[in-house]
């Protein structure tokens, strides 16, 4: 079968035009950056599917709370330090009071009351000796006055004088004994007072010892608890530091990856824009090709179309 | 005649068309001087990278040395790894080879083929420093 020449030329031109249109629309272009024209318009705008920023790790929050707790414990212990200082001040005051009491003990005049008593005893001895002399003298004078031989030199007047001397010696003795009793009583009172003072000084010393021990115990206990709290604080701070560094690294990594993803999205959108720009040209030319091919078909088939039933003219 | 013209136009469109690209890129400066910087903070090149800063020129030439497009570096921003500057070169036409120079001329030029850039979505990531 042999086709008409005109038909063959139109068909060949039409096929070339359609083929060119197909190539323009359906094949990759721009060095393969664009798959085809349809795809250039079908591809949506690239956007970064933002991954969530890394949350603060629970362990970091826990460690930060531990730091806060340890700081609060240390602050509370700091208030207890004032109580310990008060105990130390009280112990120091007790020690000073005890030292003062001891000092007062050494300052008491033991020698005074001893000499007073000794002196009174001495006075009694002298008075007794005087009484004995007076009694001996009275006895001698009485015997002499009773001698009636005429040789006696003492009279009843002398006896009366000797008796008066004896009475005076007895009175002195009585006075000396009374003074001795008084001195001994005063000595006893002073000795009792000294014993009381010594007992008080010992009590104050014991109180000072107890107060000092209480202050030392409180200070030791406080130091132990402070040391423990500080250890907990340092441990928590170190953990916070480590976890914070890890978290910072995670944030930095996330930020970097987000930035890279944004760059990729920007590049993809740039390619999409240039594909659309060139694709619009290619689509336009393809449309022109198709239009021309259509015109060729119409030219070839127009005579037959006029004979169709819906063509009345 | 019209058909021939259309076919010639189609051939031009198939072969080249109005191909123009936007070449985007980043320059990442990694240096210990950025340690401790918060991501997102403004930064610039330091310690020998002083020429890498905002508004430094970026030039793209073809294989013959003809300038195809120029641009400027953006403000530097610490991205968690280093100080990153971005740039975009508009209306880059097709050429077999490209030469890219950033900031100081003394840093030399980076050579790319057309295929390399096309494969990389017309995007280049440059890095300099301790990385």
């Amino acid at each position: 079968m042999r086709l008409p020449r005109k038909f063959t030329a139109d068909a060949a031109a039409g096929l070339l035009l359609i083929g060119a249109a197909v190539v323009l629309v359906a094949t990759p272009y721009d060095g393969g950056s664009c798959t085809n024209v349809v795809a250039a318009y079908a591809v949506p705008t690239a956007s970064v599917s933002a991954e969530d920023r890394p949350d603060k790790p629970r362990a970091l929050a826990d460690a930060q709370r531990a730091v806060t707790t340890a700081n609060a414990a240390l602050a509370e212990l700091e208030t207890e330090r004032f109580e310990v200082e008060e105990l130390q001040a009280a112990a120091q005051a007790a020690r000073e009071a005890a030292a003062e009491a001891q000092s007062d003990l050494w300052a008491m005049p033991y020698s005074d009351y001893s000499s007073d008593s000794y002196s009174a005893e001495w006075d009694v001895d002298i008075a007794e000796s005087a009484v004995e002399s007076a009694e001996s003298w009275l006895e001698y004078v009485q015997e002499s006055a009773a001698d009636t031989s005429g040789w006696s030199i003492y009279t009843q007047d002398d006896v009366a004088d000797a008796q008066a001397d004896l009475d005076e010696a007895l009175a002195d003795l009585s006075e000396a004994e009374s003074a001795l009793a008084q001195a001994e009583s005063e000595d006893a009172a002073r000795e009792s007072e000294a014993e009381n003072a010594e007992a008080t000084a010992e009590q104050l010393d014991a109180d000072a010892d107890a107060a000092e021990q209480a202050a030392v115990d409180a200070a030791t206990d406080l130091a132990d608890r402070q040391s423990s709290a500080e250890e907990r604080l340092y441990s928590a701070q170190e953990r916070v530091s480590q976890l914070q560094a890890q978290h910072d690294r995670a944030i930095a990594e996330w930020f970097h990856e987000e930035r890279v993803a944004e760059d990729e999205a920007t590049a993809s959108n740039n390619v999409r824009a240039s594909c659309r720009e060139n694709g619009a040209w290619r689509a336009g030319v393809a449309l022109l090709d198709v239009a021309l091919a259509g015109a060729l078909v119409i030219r070839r088939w127009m005579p037959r179309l006029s004979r169709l039933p819906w063509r009345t003219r | 005649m019209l058909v021939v013209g259309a076919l010639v136009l189609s051939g031009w469109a198939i072969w080249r068309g109005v191909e123009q690209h936007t070449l985007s890129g980043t320059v990442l400066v990694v240096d210990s001087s950025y340690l401790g910087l918060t991501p997102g903070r403004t930064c610039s090149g330091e310690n020998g990278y002083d020429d890498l800063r905002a508004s430094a020129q970026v030039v793209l030439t073809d294989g013959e040395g003809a300038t195809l497009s120029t641009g400027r570096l953006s403000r530097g921003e610490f991205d968690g790894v280093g100080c990153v500057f971005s740039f975009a070169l508009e209306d880059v036409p097709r050429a077999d080879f490209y030469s890219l120079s950033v900031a100081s001329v003394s840093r030399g030029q980076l050579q790319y083929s057309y295929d390399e850039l096309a494969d990389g979505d017309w995007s280049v990531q440059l890095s300099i420093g301790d990385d």
Side-chain angles (χ1 to χ4, degrees):
Chain A
M1 191 176 80
R2 187 168 179 175
L3 293 171
R5 186 176 297 169
K6 189 175 179 185
F7 173 79
T8 306
D10 284 351
L15 286 174
L16 279 173
L17 287 168
I18 294 298
V22 169
V23 169
L24 281 167
V25 172
T27 58
Y29 56 99
D30 283 6
S33 298
C34 313
T35 308
N36 56 55
V37 173
V38 177
Y41 283 90
V43 172
T45 306
S47 61
V48 178
S49 57
E51 287 187 22
D52 290 338
R53 184 187 176 97
D55 290 332
K56 183 194 282 189
R58 180 186 296 272
L60 175 57
D62 290 345
Q64 285 173 331
R65 272 195 295 277
V67 168
T68 305
T69 304
N71 271 322
L74 273 175
E76 193 176 328
L77 288 174
E78 197 59 33
T79 61
E80 288 189 30
R81 175 182 294 281
F82 294 117
E83 294 172 12
V84 170
E85 286 173 354
E86 283 177 1
L87 284 175
Q88 288 170 332
Q92 188 177 356
R95 176 58 62 203
E96 284 171 1
E100 192 177 351
Q102 286 289 346
S103 175
D104 289 347
L105 277 183
W106 286 107
M108 290 191 79
Y110 289 98
S111 55
D112 285 355
Y113 67 76
S114 297
S115 63
D116 286 352
S117 179
Y118 180 78
S119 173
E121 285 176 358
W122 184 254
D123 287 346
V124 168
D125 287 346
I126 290 172
E128 284 175 345
S129 178
V131 167
E132 285 175 6
S133 295
E135 283 175 343
S136 297
W137 178 249
L138 175 61
E139 188 177 350
Y140 176 71
V141 172
Q142 281 175 334
E143 285 177 3
S144 293
D147 185 4
T148 57
S149 64
W151 291 97
S152 174
I153 58 173
Y154 296 105
T155 64
Q156 286 301 315
D157 290 339
D158 293 325
V159 170
D161 287 342
Q163 184 62 51
D165 289 342
L166 176 59
D167 291 342
E168 188 177 350
L170 285 171
D172 288 343
L173 176 60
S174 176
E175 187 176 345
E177 284 175 341
S178 178
L180 175 61
Q182 177 69 26
E184 283 177 343
S185 172
E186 288 176 359
D187 284 352
R190 275 196 288 265
E191 195 170 350
S192 174
E193 184 184 355
E195 283 173 355
N196 286 339
E198 194 172 349
T200 301
E202 284 175 1
Q203 183 60 45
L204 286 173
D205 200 43
D207 291 347
D209 286 346
E212 282 173 348
Q213 189 60 46
V216 167
D217 289 346
T220 304
D221 179 57
L222 178 62
D224 287 348
R225 284 190 292 151
Q226 271 187 323
S227 173
S228 176
E230 281 171 353
E231 202 171 312
R232 285 199 302 276
L233 175 62
Y234 296 148
S235 173
Q237 282 175 332
E238 192 174 348
R239 180 142 179 78
V240 164
S241 177
Q242 288 173 348
L243 291 170
Q244 187 66 54
Q246 284 178 9
H247 182 54
D248 289 346
R249 279 197 294 277
I251 291 286
E253 207 169 296
W254 170 83
F255 205 95
H256 176 73
E257 286 170 2
E258 286 290 300
R259 198 271 299 167
V260 169
E262 282 174 12
D263 290 346
E264 288 173 356
T266 300
S268 180
N269 286 328
N270 287 337
V271 169
R272 177 175 174 271
S274 65
C275 285
R276 285 190 167 198
E277 188 179 348
N278 203 0
W281 274 91
R282 291 170 74 96
V285 173
L287 203 60
L288 178 63
D289 290 345
V290 170
L292 280 175
L296 288 174
V297 169
I298 289 169
R299 189 177 71 172
R300 176 68 182 84
W301 293 96
M302 186 62 80
R304 294 187 185 184
L305 288 174
S306 62
R307 290 197 295 272
L308 288 175
W310 47 273
R311 297 284 296 195
T312 55
R313 285 184 299 169
Chain B
M1 189 65 183
L2 198 59
V3 171
V4 172
L7 289 173
V8 169
L9 186 62
S10 297
W12 168 81
I14 292 169
W15 179 249
R16 178 77 42 113
V18 290
E19 182 177 355
Q20 282 191 324
H21 301 277
T22 298
L23 176 62
S24 62
T26 55
V27 180
L28 179 67
V29 182
V30 182
D31 189 76
S32 57
S33 61
Y34 303 123
L35 281 176
L37 212 57
T38 306
R41 291 289 300 273
T42 302
C43 58
S44 63
E46 293 176 13
N47 301 333
Y49 308 122
D50 298 356
D51 58 314
L52 295 171
R53 61 181 186 280
S55 300
Q57 195 170 39
V58 183
V59 179
L60 186 71
T61 57
D62 62 13
E64 280 72 45
T67 299
L68 300 178
S69 182
T70 60
R72 302 266 176 193
L73 290 183
S74 69
R75 178 177 60 90
E77 182 185 274
F78 183 67
D79 80 336
V81 173
C83 188
V84 62
F85 302 87
S86 59
F87 62 86
L89 303 176
E90 306 284 350
D91 303 329
V92 176
R94 180 171 185 136
D96 291 334
F97 293 96
Y98 297 92
S99 295
L100 180 69
S101 68
V102 179
S104 172
V105 178
S106 62
R107 295 201 178 276
Q109 294 180 321
L110 293 162
Q111 307 289 329
Y112 298 96
S113 69
Y114 174 86
D115 290 338
E116 278 181 297
L117 291 183
D119 289 345
D121 276 351
W122 295 89
S123 175
V124 291
Q125 278 76 46
L126 313 177
S127 180
I128 188 169
D130 300 337
D131 194 17

